[in-house]
Amino acid sequence: MKQFWSKVKAFLTTPWGKAYLVFITLTKLYIVYQWALAHVRAFGGQALAWVGLSQHYGEAACAILFTVVCGYYTAKAVMNIFKPKQIVST
């Protein structure tokens, strides 16, 4: 069993393994993003309607802001996966 996990670990450190991790991570993030976007839109619409502005604009503005923030952190995470590790010498 130890040998199996060492082979899995070795695979995940290869470029193909990293691409697999990115694919799985992005798939899960997309599912969570779709769920959260519905709630963010509803909140944005209600918040701006409460202030007295158009509910449609509140939904659109919150959806855009949420998408930008999610996109930034997703891109940052993907770049960190492919960034080479720095070896610290002591």
Side-chain angles (χ1 to χ4, degrees):
M1 193 63 152
K2 208 176 215 183
Q3 186 180 14
F4 171 75
W5 287 114
S6 64
K7 286 182 180 182
V8 168
K9 186 177 178 182
F11 169 72
L12 292 178
T13 58
T14 65
W16 286 103
K18 289 181 180 183
Y20 173 75
L21 287 175
V22 168
F23 174 73
I24 295 299
T25 303
L26 290 179
T27 303
K28 289 179 180 181
L29 281 175
Y30 181 73
I31 292 168
V32 172
Y33 166 78
Q34 288 296 321
W35 171 81
L37 183 62
H39 293 285
V40 168
R41 277 189 172 166
F43 173 77
Q46 291 173 359
L48 263 67
W50 183 74
V51 174
L53 299 173
S54 172
Q55 183 175 358
H56 173 72
Y57 290 124
E59 289 177 353
C62 284
I64 290 170
L65 181 63
F66 182 70
T67 302
V68 167
V69 169
C70 287
Y72 170 76
Y73 284 107
T74 301
K76 189 175 176 181
V78 168
M79 285 187 267
N80 282 335
I81 289 174
F82 287 103
K83 187 185 298 181
K85 302 286 184 206
Q86 293 180 356
I87 300 173
V88 179
S89 60
T90 57

